[in-house]
Amino acid sequence: MIRAYPARAFLLWIALHAFVAVGSGAGIVAFSTSASLALTVIAAAVGFFDSRRRHEYTLLGNLGIPALAPPAMWAGTILVLEILLRAMTAIAGGSPA
């Protein structure tokens, strides 16, 4: 179950970038630093509400995992993906929007 959090966060990240890319007509969308941080906070909130909706906090609590672990995993995954996208954009010679 713990492996599901980064996978769900990755799907959220892909969906958001695809939605913005289709809407703007761009191929690869790299957000600004402030937008990336906002996306990280939103991902943490989505992770919190997703875990609550799936009633996973009871099981995680019984396993000794703190309640902040799912939102932290969501935020960490999104943050790593944004950093990697920014690095790949910089290597390719583009600049983030």
Side-chain angles (χ1 to χ4, degrees):
M1 172 179 30
I2 298 298
R3 284 185 255 155
Y5 298 126
R8 290 183 208 152
F10 177 71
L11 290 176
L12 172 71
W13 184 78
I14 289 291
L16 181 66
H17 277 269
F19 179 74
V20 171
V22 168
S24 67
I28 296 176
V29 179
F31 297 127
S32 65
T33 303
S34 59
S36 294
L37 291 176
L39 177 62
T40 303
V41 171
I42 290 169
V46 168
F48 173 76
F49 289 118
D50 180 62
S51 294
R52 290 214 37 188
R53 183 183 65 82
R54 295 174 189 263
H55 304 288
E56 294 173 339
Y57 279 121
T58 303
L59 175 63
L60 293 174
N62 288 337
L63 294 173
I65 298 172
L68 292 177
M73 282 189 244
W74 279 69
T77 302
I78 296 292
L79 191 60
V80 167
L81 290 170
E82 285 295 320
I83 290 170
L84 288 174
L85 181 64
R86 185 173 297 271
M88 289 179 6
T89 305
I91 290 171
S95 64

